[in-house]
Amino acid sequence: MIGIRGIGWITKNKFGSVFKKEITEYADKADVYSLFKKQSIIPESFRHFGRFDRVSKNTCLAISSGLFDADVYCSKETKPDLGILSTNSKGCLQSNINYFKDYIDCGRRLSRGNLFIFTLPSTPIAESAIIFGCQGPIAHLTFKDDQTPSILEHGRMMISQKEAKELLIVNANEEEAICFYIKEHAHAFENEYMSLEQLQESFTDTEELSEIILRISEKGTE
Amino acid sequence: MLKTDPVIVDYNAMTPYGEGIDVCWRGLMNNRTSITDIERFDAGHFISNKAATIKTVTFGNEKSLVWQMLERLKKNINNEIPQDADLLLASLNGEIEFIERELLTDNDCSQESRLDLLLAKTQDLFRLKGTGMVISAACASSSIAIAKAASMITSGQSSCVLVLACDCVSEFIISGFSALMALDKHCARPFDIKRAGLNIGEAAGYLLMMSQERAEKEGRKTAGKVRGWGMSCDANHMTGPSTDGEGLFLAIKQALDRGGVPSEKIRSICAHGTGTVYNDAMEITAYKRIFSERVCPTYSIKGGIGHTMGAAGLMDILVVLETIKNAVLPPTVGVKEIAKEAVGWVKKKKVCLHNDVVLSTNSGFGGINSALIIETCT
C-alpha cells in the first residue's frame, strides 16, 4: 500500500505539520525562514533562501514541513532516492513577468540570469531537490483542473510502477503550498493520517488549494 | 512482444529545416546546420545572435509562434489520431510571447501564456477527448513525457497516448540564455574541443504511442518500442551539471534495468550534446561509467537544429527512429575537432550500423536527467 508519511503546509500567516499537529502563526513572511531554522525544520546547509521567487520559497517551506512531519532528515549530503512532483494552475507566470519586466527596465540590453532561472515551472522543485539532496525523478505537471488529486494519482502510479521509491508531491503558488510525502509500505504507519487512497477519496470537485490546506490542516489538529 | 508493450505507431515534426521529419533527417545527414542569424528581434547585443528558427511561422502574428507551429504540425499528421488518445504536452514556456506582448505593448494578455490554457486549446485543436497533462522538466520535458506515456501504457492506464512537444525562439529565451553565458556566438559545436555553448532552436513534433495489442488491432505499423526509461536529479546545481555524471548515470542505469537490457546490447547513443563545455563532458563521463571499456557510437543533433528546449527529447527520439529505419547514424553537425574525452565515441561522418537498440539521454536545468531505450519492433 502507498501511505502518506508526512504533510507540510504554509499559508499567508501560518505553517504546520499535520501528523505532528503543529501549527505556527507568523506575522511577516520575512520571519518564516528564521522560524524554520529555529525549529530545525530546514537543513543548516541551506543558505540561498533570500534569492528564491515566492513559489520556490513556499515550495521549499512546505517540503521542509512535510519531511519534518515524517521525522525524515534530508540534506545535500544525504542524497536520498526521493523524487519531487509539483503542480499549480499558473506555473511561473509571475516570475516570467518579473524577469521580462526587469529586462525591459534595463533597456532591453541586459537581463538577469538569477531571475531567468525562475522562469521554468520546474525550478521551485529543482531548487528544493538541491537543498534536500533529492536524486529521484523531478517534474512539474499541469492539468486543466483538479490539480492536487490529479498529481497525487500520478505520484501513486510512479511508485506502483517502481519509477520512484518515494515522492514529495507539492501544490504551490505565490501565497501558499502543501506537500504530501508518499511512500510504499508493507503495512500502515503507526502515525499514519490516512492511506493515499483515503486521501484521494476525500477531495471534492473544484476544491481550491486554500480550501484543501484548511481542511487538511484542521483535520490534523483534531 | 507483450500486449502492453508501448510501441510508437506514428511520428512527425516541423523543424528549422522545414516541415516533416524527412526534411530534418536529410539536413542532418547532409551535415548541414539550420542555425542562422536571428531576424525576429534585435539580437545584436546578446552573446550570440544565432538561433535555428522555422521560417514558415510569423513572429508578431496575432497567433503565438507555438500555436502556429502546432497548427502546422496538425496538418503534417500522417495517420489519424484516435479521439480517445490521452495527451501529454511537453513545453518549457509554451506561448511565452504573451508575456512579451503584455509588457511591450500594454496589451493585457499575459494570462494567455498559462500552460493549462495551452493544454485545453491543444486538446481542442487535435479533437482529443482523453486526459491531458503538460510536463515541464526543463530540457528533459519531452523525454520525460515519453517515459510517462510508456508508463501509462505499460500499467494499463491508457492504450493510446499522443506526446506533443513544442518550444519557440523568443527574445525572452535568448536574453535569458545570453545572461547565463550559455550561448555560442558561432554555430553550436557539440563535443568539439572548441565548443563554447549552445544555440537555441525551435521545433514542434509528435509521437503517437499505443499498446502493442491496440496497434495490432488497428493494423498500425510500428516504428519502434520504448523498452526502458529512467529519470533522476543531480541535486547539485541549478544551471550546471554534476561533473561526475552521477545523476545521468543513475537515469541510464534505471532505464537499462527497467528494460532488462544489458549495456552491451546498446548499439548507439543519441546524446543531449548541447555544445556547452560542461554538459558534453558530463555526458561522456556518464557513458564511460555505463559502458566501461566499450566505446558506443554517439552523436548529437543540436549543431543541426539547435537546442529545442522542451522539444529536445522528442526531436532526439524522432531522429533515433530514423536511424533505426535507415541503419545509419547522422554526423554530429558542427564538430570539427573532437574533444579528447569524446574521441572514438563521436564521429564527424555518418556511421552505418545495424541499429536495433538505442539509448537517448537528456539533461536540463536543475540537474534533471532522463534516459530512454528505444528498440526496433521484431
Side-chain angles (χ1 to χ4, degrees), chain A:
Chain A
M1 68 179 292
I2 297 171
I4 312 280
R5 186 77 180 81
I7 304 175
W9 55 273
I10 182 157
T11 65
K12 276 186 271 187
N13 51 10
K14 291 177 194 170
F15 64 86
S17 303
V18 170
F19 297 156
K20 286 192 189 296
K21 299 184 179 182
E22 287 186 9
I23 294 178
T24 305
E25 293 196 21
Y26 66 92
D28 188 345
K29 204 125 198 178
D31 301 335
V32 179
Y33 179 58
S34 51
L35 283 169
F36 270 64
K37 279 255 178 187
K38 211 167 166 183
Q39 295 183 26
S40 304
I41 301 175
I42 212 154
E44 272 301 312
S45 56
F46 176 39
R47 290 188 178 86
H48 305 295
F49 192 76
R51 67 170 172 80
F52 280 14
D53 69 351
R54 286 169 65 176
V55 179
S56 298
K57 281 180 179 169
N58 283 339
T59 298
C60 171
L61 294 172
I63 286 175
S64 298
S65 298
L67 289 168
F68 175 72
D69 201 29
D71 283 324
V72 170
Y73 178 80
C74 297
S75 74
K76 201 168 178 163
E77 290 72 37
T78 60
K79 297 268 180 189
D81 187 1
L82 175 60
I84 314 177
L85 298 181
S86 65
T87 192
N88 61 19
S89 55
K90 291 187 181 175
C92 50
L93 179 65
Q94 192 55 50
S95 291
N96 288 345
I97 293 170
N98 294 345
Y99 163 73
F100 205 69
K101 188 174 181 311
D102 179 76
Y103 167 68
I104 292 170
D105 291 345
C106 293
R108 289 170 86 178
R109 284 290 178 272
L110 282 173
S111 65
R112 292 177 216 259
N114 59 340
L115 295 181
F116 182 66
I117 59 168
F118 293 103
T119 65
L120 294 175
S122 53
T123 293
I125 48 174
E127 289 281 15
S128 298
I130 295 167
I131 296 161
F132 300 103
C134 301
Q135 288 196 309
I138 299 281
H140 180 86
L141 311 179
T142 307
F143 307 90
K144 275 198 296 187
D145 40 37
D146 297 333
Q147 309 278 348
T148 306
S150 300
I151 199 165
L152 281 166
E153 178 56 18
H154 280 280
R156 188 193 63 73
M157 261 192 62
M158 284 182 76
I159 291 178
S160 305
Q161 291 289 301
K162 313 280 180 214
E163 290 167 350
K165 280 187 183 164
E166 45 192 43
L167 285 168
L168 296 161
I169 297 188
V170 188
N171 187 344
N173 61 32
E174 298 254 312
E175 306 296 338
E176 57 214 350
I178 190 162
C179 169
F180 303 92
Y181 175 18
I182 69 168
K183 184 177 179 176
E184 189 161 34
H185 213 271
H187 52 81
F189 300 103
E190 266 179 32
N191 65 341
E192 195 178 17
Y193 170 62
M194 56 174 69
S195 72
L196 178 58
E197 206 174 33
Q198 277 175 295
L199 176 70
Q200 286 177 294
E201 282 167 8
S202 75
F203 290 106
T204 55
D205 288 346
T206 70
E207 197 176 19
E208 295 289 331
L209 177 58
S210 52
E211 294 168 326
I212 291 171
I213 294 174
L214 184 65
R215 176 168 63 80
I216 290 174
S217 62
E218 277 178 355
K219 201 152 195 167
T221 60
E222 276 173 3

Side-chain angles (χ1 to χ4, degrees), chain B residues 136-202:
Chain B
S136 307
C139 299
S141 295
S142 52
S143 44
I144 288 183
I146 294 168
K148 188 83 206 162
S151 174
M152 286 165 72
I153 291 169
T154 308
S155 68
Q157 193 200 340
S158 178
S159 62
C160 180
V161 183
L162 177 68
V163 182
L164 273 176
C166 54
D167 264 314
C168 68
V169 172
S170 64
E171 188 173 356
F172 186 104
I173 293 290
I174 297 285
S175 61
F177 276 93
S178 181
L180 294 174
M181 314 286 280
L183 302 176
D184 191 334
K185 65 180 174 184
H186 304 291
C187 292
R189 298 160 278 180
F191 299 110
D192 192 280
I193 197 161
K194 289 182 181 161
R195 66 186 184 276
L198 54 87
N199 297 130
I200 298 295
E202 64 190 6

Side-chain angles (χ1 to χ4, degrees), chain B residues 314-373:
Chain B
L314 188 131
M315 292 311 306
D316 287 343
I317 295 304
L318 301 197
V319 172
V320 162
L321 293 168
E322 292 296 305
T323 68
I324 290 173
K325 190 167 81 183
N326 296 293
V328 59
L329 306 184
T332 294
V333 179
V335 71
K336 286 190 175 65
E337 189 182 351
I338 296 165
K340 197 178 158 193
E341 67 272 19
V343 169
W345 292 74
V346 174
K347 308 281 184 212
K348 288 191 226 173
K349 293 184 177 167
K350 65 182 183 183
V351 178
C352 295
L353 81 173
H354 174 59
N355 198 30
D356 57 349
V357 189
V358 182
L359 171 67
S360 181
T361 66
N362 295 100
S363 301
F365 278 175
I368 301 176
N369 303 290
S370 64
L372 294 167
I373 296 170

Side-chain angles (χ1 to χ4, degrees), chain B residues 200-221:
Chain B
I200 298 295
E202 64 190 6
Y206 77 90
L207 200 63
L208 184 64
M209 292 169 63
M210 280 185 180
S211 65
Q212 171 66 23
E213 186 181 31
R214 181 162 176 178
E216 266 173 30
K217 236 183 230 172
E218 295 189 9
R220 302 262 186 172
K221 208 173 148 190

